[in-house]
Amino acid sequence: MFGSVFYLAATENLQAAWERDHGLSAVAPAVYARRTIDAAVDLILDPVHHTWVRTHWGPDYLHRENVFFRPCSSRP
């Protein structure tokens, strides 16, 4: 699962670079990686994968220090 988070961050950076210089690739990363992006998002959002997080961080894991599962609104 963490690999999915890192993949999405890397692809986001590749997309930003491509938007600055379309000469980097004939096709945008967001286009050629769409299926992988969707699969990574599905994996991250799958509640089955959150079981270990609840076990480790407790039932209020969405509101505490766990950086991967905190809602965006709780970030500084």
Side-chain angles (χ1 to χ4, degrees), residues 18-64:
W18 183 85
E19 288 171 3
R20 289 188 302 272
D21 180 1
H22 289 207
L24 295 173
S25 174
V27 180
V31 173
Y32 69 69
R34 174 55 46 206
R35 288 177 49 193
T36 308
I37 292 168
D38 292 343
V41 169
D42 289 346
L43 177 70
I44 292 167
L45 296 179
D46 184 350
V48 172
H49 290 89
H50 299 193
T51 302
W52 72 269
V53 176
R54 270 194 269 355
T55 299
H56 180 76
W57 293 99
D60 63 341
Y61 72 99
L62 287 174
H63 307 288
R64 295 190 30 203

Side-chain angles (χ1 to χ4, degrees), residues 3-17 29 32:
S4 295
V5 172
F6 298 130
Y7 176 84
L8 291 173
T11 305
E12 183 177 42
N13 285 323
L14 289 171
Q15 180 66 29
Y32 69 69

